[in-house]
Amino acid sequence: MPPVSKTTASKTNTGNFFEDFTVGQVIEHATPRTVTEGDRALYGALYPTRFAVPSSAAFAASVGLDPHPVEELIAFHIAFGKTVPDISLNAVANLGYAELRFHQPVHPGDTLSTRSEVIGLKQNSNGRSGVVYVRSTATNQRGEVALDWCRWVMVHKRTAATEGGDLDAPETVLPELKKTLAPEDLVVPAGLDFSSYDFSAAGEPHRFDDYEIGELIDHVDGVTLTDPEHMMATRLWQNTAKVHFNTEARPDGNRLIYGGHVISMARALSFNGLANAQLIAAINGGSHVAPAFAGDTVYAWSEVLDKAAVPGAGDSVGALRLRLVATKGRDESMTLRTDEGKYADGVLLDLDYWALIPR
Amino acid sequence: MPPVSKTTASKTNTGNFFEDFTVGQVIEHATPRTVTEGDRALYGALYPTRFAVPSSAAFAASVGLDPHPVEELIAFHIAFGKTVPDISLNAVANLGYAELRFHQPVHPGDTLSTRSEVIGLKQNSNGRSGVVYVRSTATNQRGEVALDWCRWVMVHKRTAATEGGDLDAPETVLPELKKTLAPEDLVVPAGLDFSSYDFSAAGEPHRFDDYEIGELIDHVDGVTLTDPEHMMATRLWQNTAKVHFNTEARPDGNRLIYGGHVISMARALSFNGLANAQLIAAINGGSHVAPAFAGDTVYAWSEVLDKAAVPGAGDSVGALRLRLVATKGRDESMTLRTDEGKYADGVLLDLDYWALIPR
Amino acid sequence: MPPVSKTTASKTNTGNFFEDFTVGQVIEHATPRTVTEGDRALYGALYPTRFAVPSSAAFAASVGLDPHPVEELIAFHIAFGKTVPDISLNAVANLGYAELRFHQPVHPGDTLSTRSEVIGLKQNSNGRSGVVYVRSTATNQRGEVALDWCRWVMVHKRTAATEGGDLDAPETVLPELKKTLAPEDLVVPAGLDFSSYDFSAAGEPHRFDDYEIGELIDHVDGVTLTDPEHMMATRLWQNTAKVHFNTEARPDGNRLIYGGHVISMARALSFNGLANAQLIAAINGGSHVAPAFAGDTVYAWSEVLDKAAVPGAGDSVGALRLRLVATKGRDESMTLRTDEGKYADGVLLDLDYWALIPR
């Protein structure tokens, strides 16, 4: 039998450290994953989603989407999960997202693969970690882009720089990322047509024109989180970050809830007030402001940040730029920040996205 | 930014109050929902169901049911869930069901929509609430009726009547509802034929003739309930009642378990002794006698209330009218009521239904 | 109303006792079960599996497997679950498995039925129980064998033998079972061809030649078990053993976790280091060394026991014989047994299987 130390080290993935990344490097992530109707059902069991397009094949067909697409966040979570073993297994923190665009609907039967290109690097002055910027692209089995996005993560160095050892730090490269995608950047699914949209079936009468910039919407309902549910969700996306599954991975014995679980929970809760914001076209950015744990009760509110026509989308489709805020405990005052500009207590998530809605 | 109070109130659904209902009113419920094989799998993960027809496409085809139908209670829970935001979001209590009939099997790919008509109203003498009677009908994507049922619910008034304010109470209308559907009311699925039924594959030898009116069947097995499981089930049916999901919604911090979860659990447990009661044709009525919470261990027993041939169903199909009782903790004595006529301690559910079984 | 005692006893399954088994007896188990894409999704939600073949229809097709097979353990759990009500409802202990072979891939849409033949019996000297040996065979809707295996279980006698009562013990028959299936016993799925295998998509570069006999692989990651998850898994397989579901079934109030849950968890964890051990061809044997309960954190390590070409499989396919060990808490020393030859503390599972891997 060979020595344990050798064999242990030789086969298992210990993830990439800051030193392993170079600008321009392309990483093909394992493993491709086929989306199924089972994913749709589990998503509906884990999140209180009721948006009519992903809920009903008949409704989806009535707005031009046939075959029946799954919720965009299913595609996002799957595509994102693939990047974890290569990009963020040794992450100190997920710092941000930008320029996330859905290029076409994803349907049961589609197989998603993800590839990332390193587009920026910056070693921290402490010599122990650095920020890695990647642009990740998920493609389907026909090689077509399903979604892409940028993300930056603080990653541990394998070996901390000794004093003066910053000499071997890579040249700092900072990518230019849009703070917000413009309406002309949005991709509207081929065939989407809200002109015979059934508001009654969809659940609310409010259309594009009924929302005003600056308007706040309290989504009212709350859901108390549990460990089995967030673990099932996170596993479904093949996201392997240990902190989500292993009570021995953190000193406090808690399982940290995957940030995407809170995004999906808040998006589903936002049905109550935004039932017609049917499709997510893009995510401009997002902050996981505070960690969430089992026992926390998540509520959500939204702010209308902008409104726009979408070039080429036809007269029936409008876009709302929305801030989606998840809170621990309900905040009827819908306060994002304190007077000092810090996030208010209880804020878990601050997400900025574009949704498509009937005009 | 507009005032918070205005915007908060303007978009989110606060549900209907007693004053919002009028006899003859028709409510189209959001949102249509497509049934998938994922629902069948989740149902099997959440309930210990083993009935051969929903379990096996091959078995179902052998009794004339092809394509493969899902369990009737899946259709019921989905259809019922749609009514919650409009009918019972402000309910004090679900008082009862009647005349529930399954008109045809539901298959993966079918999209269910539900509509309700208000068929009765009665304001309570306290002036603070009233009883609303509705007949709800779920149709598939072809506009065919899949199931319908009546239900009555005690709903809060938005504004309690002041003294003498009963003047504005609506005229009391009480619908005539059958206590029990007659055998000739039952709809047998087209093509159903038990004449080459495989009792060995189905799991038990007992057929129609083996059951006697008055017979009690102890289903023996028990399942301890958990919060994540009932929340996943209830969400799957897009049932939004807060008390099921939010520990902050009740003073005791418990999540109240959706009554339908107990129905499905008891029905699944009844396999042991009623394995050949393959299909639910109708539900005559039911009482959720006591609330259930995580940690409770649910057992079930049944009583044969009646037996009948079903007109037009052919010689191979019989109907058993069954009382399905769910209890918290096992009651080997199978006692429904105390000598005073009250439900015995531990009884959670008393359900009266018609099942189809080989003769 | 008939007397309760009679009616209770008459319909519910109390399982078979040792006296009910005879050598040569064949038992057709209820109920047939159709596999769906929902099972694949739930399996992925319950276990951190990432093997490329079951994860991706496109990847599976690229190695000659089209339609898209489900993970072999899904087929095993379903097939095994069917035997529980007839074989092991009154079991004292599951003693072992042997000669488990997968004869062909299982796909969504396939319906599995299981039949068992009693191949051995041995009453224990205490007169209170005995060992029953069965060979179980699961067939699909076309009557083709999907998998078969042997298993032996210690089962209670209905009536303990009185002193001298051993006279009515059945003749002892002990089947000859192979300790290990030979490479020529393995069935390689028709069409399997790893010659254009995409190691990058599969997640690791290690092929057949990279593994050495005696090599140990620490799979590193751990998952903390929960009650809702193991109950959902076990129900999905229609396994009815009470101890998994009912806190009142054991004096300590714990739900005993189905041994198959630990097998699937360990197999999924083994992706990290054995990502290319894509298919399980056979299980030579296994021991559930210690019970697992909610709160335990499961880790896994593997040992390469043997390597072999598979006759008739073509040059691209090799077989690794692997020992898969699940532990409660991580054991970086990967110690199977103490110096006295007993299993080391923390070992939950010791499984010996053959996996197919690209050469």
Side-chain angles (χ1 to χ4, degrees):
Chain A
M1 193 182 302
V4 165
S5 58
K6 170 182 165 283
T7 55
T8 303
S10 61
K11 294 289 194 307
T12 53
N13 176 26
T14 52
N16 289 312
F17 290 87
F18 183 71
E19 296 94 323
D20 299 320
F21 295 100
T22 53
V23 172
Q25 176 185 8
V26 173
I27 303 170
E28 305 280 347
H29 305 295
T31 65
R33 163 81 154 70
T34 303
V35 175
T36 73
E37 286 294 351
D39 295 312
R40 191 198 307 279
L42 268 161
Y43 197 83
L46 292 164
Y47 307 108
T49 181
R50 291 190 289 145
F51 294 100
V53 166
S55 176
S56 165
F59 191 96
S62 79
V63 298
L65 302 177
D66 182 8
H68 190 194
V70 296
E71 206 130 337
E72 296 84 8
L73 290 175
I74 290 180
F76 170 67
H77 292 314
I78 289 176
F80 178 88
K82 316 235 138 301
T83 69
V84 168
D86 298 315
I87 305 296
S88 50
L89 210 60
N90 299 304
V92 188
N94 279 293
L95 299 176
Y97 309 95
E99 299 185 7
L100 188 150
R101 291 196 301 169
F102 294 100
H103 291 261
Q104 60 172 294
V106 171
H107 310 105
D110 284 353
T111 298
L112 296 178
S113 302
T114 309
R115 171 194 319 126
S116 297
E117 181 180 351
V118 180
I119 56 169
L121 286 174
K122 181 177 185 307
Q123 183 162 317
N124 287 331
S125 55
N126 65 14
R128 296 210 196 92
S129 56
V131 180
V132 179
Y133 296 79
V134 294
R135 176 176 296 278
S136 300
T137 305
T139 51
N140 65 21
Q141 70 282 8
R142 293 180 300 273
E144 301 158 351
V145 176
L147 65 150
D148 63 357
W149 71 96
C150 296
R151 173 188 178 210
W152 52 108
V153 189
M154 192 183 300
V155 179
H156 282 294
K157 290 192 67 177
R158 182 176 283 110
T159 312
T162 50
E163 270 185 85
D166 291 351
L167 294 177
D168 58 357
E171 187 187 358
T172 294
V173 176
L174 295 179
E176 278 188 44
L177 300 174
K178 296 183 186 179
K179 286 209 71 154
T180 306
L181 289 160
E184 55 268 27
D185 294 328
L186 305 181
V187 186
V188 173
L192 183 70
D193 181 355
F194 283 148
S195 53
S196 30
Y197 189 92
D198 182 343
F199 287 87
S200 167
E204 291 183 353
H206 323 303
R207 54 173 76 223
F208 182 78
D209 288 338
D210 297 322
Y211 292 90
E212 292 172 47
I213 296 176
E215 182 174 352
L216 300 181
I217 303 154
D218 182 354
H219 303 304
V220 176
D221 305 310
V223 172
T224 306
L225 304 176
T226 74
D227 277 323
E229 289 171 303
H230 77 78
M231 290 200 294
M232 290 182 69
T234 309
R235 260 189 227 112
L236 192 60
W237 320 131
Q238 301 183 318
N239 180 327
T240 57
K242 314 179 202 296
V243 288
H244 305 319
F245 301 107
N246 187 336
T247 57
E248 300 177 351
R250 286 169 49 99
D252 65 5
N254 283 326
R255 280 163 275 205
L256 182 69
I257 292 179
Y258 163 50
H261 192 62
V262 176
I263 294 177
S264 280
M265 194 62 81
R267 162 73 177 158
L269 289 170
S270 79
F271 177 89
N272 196 346
L274 283 167
N276 298 317
Q278 288 285 353
L279 302 170
I280 300 180
I283 296 177
N284 296 309
S287 294
H288 296 289
V289 177
F293 298 101
D296 292 350
T297 299
V298 173
Y299 295 80
W301 57 268
S302 293
E303 178 183 356
V304 181
L305 295 174
D306 201 357
K307 298 177 60 172
V310 186
D315 291 344
S316 68
V317 179
L320 294 182
R321 192 180 142 217
L322 296 162
R323 178 195 304 283
L324 175 61
V325 178
T327 59
K328 173 181 170 181
R330 187 167 170 203
D331 173 21
E332 293 185 59
S333 74
M334 297 184 274
T335 304
L336 184 68
R337 294 182 183 272
T338 62
D339 292 344
E340 296 85 49
K342 290 190 186 165
Y343 278 110
D345 272 1
V347 172
L348 297 173
L349 171 75
D350 177 14
L351 191 82
D352 178 338
Y353 73 106
W354 282 107
L356 303 181
I357 187 168
R359 298 194 73 167
Chain B
M1 194 183 299
V4 165
S5 57
K6 171 181 165 283
T7 55
T8 303
S10 60
K11 295 288 195 308
T12 53
N13 176 27
T14 52
N16 289 311
F17 290 87
F18 183 70
E19 295 94 322
D20 300 320
F21 296 100
T22 54
V23 171
Q25 176 185 9
V26 173
I27 302 171
E28 305 280 348
H29 304 295
T31 63
R33 163 80 153 71
T34 303
V35 174
T36 74
E37 287 294 352
D39 295 312
R40 190 196 309 276
L42 268 161
Y43 197 83
L46 293 164
Y47 307 107
T49 180
R50 291 191 289 146
F51 294 99
V53 166
S55 176
S56 165
F59 190 96
S62 78
V63 298
L65 301 178
D66 182 10
H68 190 194
V70 297
E71 206 130 336
E72 297 82 8
L73 290 175
I74 290 180
F76 170 67
H77 292 313
I78 289 176
F80 178 88
K82 315 235 138 302
T83 70
V84 168
D86 299 315
I87 305 297
S88 50
L89 210 60
N90 300 303
V92 187
N94 279 293
L95 300 175
Y97 308 94
E99 299 185 7
L100 187 150
R101 291 197 301 169
F102 294 99
H103 292 260
Q104 60 172 295
V106 171
H107 310 106
D110 283 354
T111 298
L112 296 177
S113 302
T114 309
R115 170 194 319 124
S116 296
E117 180 180 351
V118 179
I119 57 170
L121 286 175
K122 181 178 186 303
Q123 184 162 316
N124 287 331
S125 55
N126 64 14
R128 297 210 196 92
S129 56
V131 180
V132 180
Y133 295 79
V134 293
R135 178 177 295 276
S136 300
T137 305
T139 52
N140 65 21
Q141 70 282 10
R142 294 180 298 274
E144 302 158 351
V145 175
L147 65 148
D148 63 355
W149 71 97
C150 296
R151 173 188 177 209
W152 51 108
V153 189
M154 192 183 301
V155 179
H156 283 292
K157 290 193 67 179
R158 180 175 283 109
T159 312
T162 50
E163 270 185 83
D166 292 352
L167 295 175
D168 58 357
E171 188 187 359
T172 294
V173 175
L174 295 179
E176 278 188 43
L177 299 173
K178 295 183 185 178
K179 286 209 70 152
T180 306
L181 289 159
E184 55 268 27
D185 294 327
L186 305 181
V187 185
V188 173
L192 182 70
D193 180 356
F194 283 148
S195 54
S196 30
Y197 188 92
D198 182 342
F199 287 88
S200 167
E204 290 184 352
H206 323 304
R207 54 173 76 224
F208 182 79
D209 288 338
D210 297 321
Y211 291 90
E212 293 172 44
I213 295 175
E215 181 174 352
L216 300 181
I217 304 154
D218 182 353
H219 303 304
V220 177
D221 305 310
V223 172
T224 307
L225 304 177
T226 73
D227 278 322
E229 290 171 302
H230 77 78
M231 291 201 293
M232 289 182 70
T234 309
R235 260 190 229 112
L236 193 60
W237 320 130
Q238 300 183 319
N239 181 327
T240 58
K242 316 180 202 294
V243 289
H244 306 319
F245 302 107
N246 188 334
T247 57
E248 300 177 351
R250 288 169 48 99
D252 65 5
N254 283 326
R255 280 164 274 206
L256 182 69
I257 292 179
Y258 164 50
H261 191 63
V262 177
I263 294 177
S264 280
M265 193 63 82
R267 163 72 176 157
L269 290 169
S270 78
F271 177 89
N272 197 345
L274 282 168
N276 298 317
Q278 288 284 354
L279 302 169
I280 300 180
I283 297 177
N284 296 307
S287 294
H288 297 289
V289 177
F293 299 100
D296 291 351
T297 300
V298 174
Y299 295 80
W301 57 269
S302 293
E303 178 182 357
V304 181
L305 297 174
D306 202 356
K307 297 177 59 173
V310 186
D315 291 344
S316 68
V317 179
L320 295 181
R321 191 179 141 217
L322 297 160
R323 178 195 304 282
L324 175 61
V325 178
T327 58
K328 173 182 169 179
R330 186 166 171 204
D331 174 22
E332 293 185 60
S333 74
M334 297 184 274
T335 303
L336 185 67
R337 293 181 183 274
T338 63
D339 292 344
E340 296 85 49
K342 291 190 187 166
Y343 279 110
D345 274 0
V347 173
L348 297 173
L349 171 76
D350 177 13
L351 191 81
D352 179 336
Y353 73 105
W354 281 107
L356 304 181
I357 187 169
R359 297 195 71 169
Chain C
M1 194 184 300
V4 165
S5 59
K6 170 182 165 285
T7 54
T8 303
S10 60
K11 295 288 195 306
T12 51
N13 176 28
T14 52
N16 289 313
F17 291 87
F18 183 72
E19 296 93 324
D20 299 320
F21 295 99
T22 54
V23 171
Q25 176 186 7
V26 172
I27 302 171
E28 305 280 349
H29 304 294
T31 64
R33 163 81 153 70
T34 303
V35 175
T36 74
E37 287 294 351
D39 294 312
R40 190 198 308 276
L42 268 160
Y43 197 82
L46 292 164
Y47 307 108
T49 179
R50 291 190 290 145
F51 294 99
V53 166
S55 176
S56 165
F59 190 97
S62 79
V63 298
L65 302 177
D66 181 10
H68 190 193
V70 296
E71 206 131 335
E72 296 83 9
L73 290 175
I74 290 180
F76 170 66
H77 293 314
I78 289 176
F80 178 89
K82 316 235 138 302
T83 70
V84 168
D86 300 315
I87 305 296
S88 50
L89 210 60
N90 301 303
V92 188
N94 278 293
L95 300 176
Y97 308 94
E99 298 185 8
L100 187 150
R101 290 196 301 168
F102 294 100
H103 292 260
Q104 59 172 294
V106 171
H107 310 105
D110 283 354
T111 299
L112 296 177
S113 301
T114 310
R115 171 195 319 125
S116 296
E117 181 180 351
V118 180
I119 57 170
L121 286 174
K122 181 176 186 306
Q123 184 162 315
N124 287 332
S125 55
N126 64 14
R128 298 210 195 90
S129 56
V131 180
V132 180
Y133 296 78
V134 294
R135 177 177 295 276
S136 300
T137 305
T139 52
N140 64 21
Q141 69 282 8
R142 293 180 298 273
E144 303 158 350
V145 175
L147 64 150
D148 63 355
W149 71 98
C150 296
R151 173 187 177 211
W152 51 109
V153 189
M154 191 182 300
V155 178
H156 283 293
K157 290 192 68 177
R158 181 175 283 108
T159 313
T162 50
E163 271 185 83
D166 293 350
L167 293 177
D168 58 357
E171 186 187 358
T172 293
V173 175
L174 295 179
E176 279 189 43
L177 298 174
K178 296 183 185 178
K179 286 209 71 153
T180 307
L181 289 160
E184 55 269 26
D185 293 328
L186 305 182
V187 186
V188 173
L192 183 69
D193 181 356
F194 283 147
S195 53
S196 29
Y197 188 92
D198 182 342
F199 287 87
S200 167
E204 290 183 352
H206 323 303
R207 54 174 74 224
F208 181 79
D209 288 338
D210 297 321
Y211 292 90
E212 293 171 45
I213 296 176
E215 181 175 352
L216 300 181
I217 303 154
D218 182 353
H219 303 305
V220 177
D221 304 310
V223 172
T224 307
L225 304 177
T226 74
D227 278 322
E229 289 171 303
H230 76 78
M231 290 200 294
M232 290 182 70
T234 309
R235 260 190 228 110
L236 192 61
W237 319 130
Q238 301 183 320
N239 181 328
T240 57
K242 314 179 202 297
V243 287
H244 306 318
F245 301 106
N246 188 336
T247 57
E248 300 177 351
R250 288 169 48 99
D252 66 4
N254 283 326
R255 280 164 274 206
L256 183 69
I257 292 180
Y258 163 50
H261 191 62
V262 177
I263 294 177
S264 280
M265 193 63 80
R267 163 72 177 157
L269 289 170
S270 79
F271 176 89
N272 197 345
L274 283 167
N276 297 317
Q278 288 284 353
L279 302 169
I280 301 179
I283 296 177
N284 296 307
S287 294
H288 297 290
V289 177
F293 298 101
D296 292 352
T297 299
V298 174
Y299 294 80
W301 58 268
S302 293
E303 178 183 357
V304 181
L305 296 174
D306 202 357
K307 297 176 61 172
V310 187
D315 292 343
S316 68
V317 179
L320 294 182
R321 191 180 142 217
L322 297 161
R323 179 196 302 283
L324 175 62
V325 178
T327 59
K328 173 181 169 179
R330 186 165 171 205
D331 174 20
E332 292 185 60
S333 75
M334 297 185 273
T335 304
L336 185 67
R337 293 181 184 274
T338 62
D339 293 345
E340 295 85 50
K342 291 192 186 164
Y343 279 110
D345 273 0
V347 173
L348 298 173
L349 171 76
D350 176 14
L351 191 82
D352 178 337
Y353 73 105
W354 281 106
L356 303 181
I357 187 169
R359 299 194 73 169

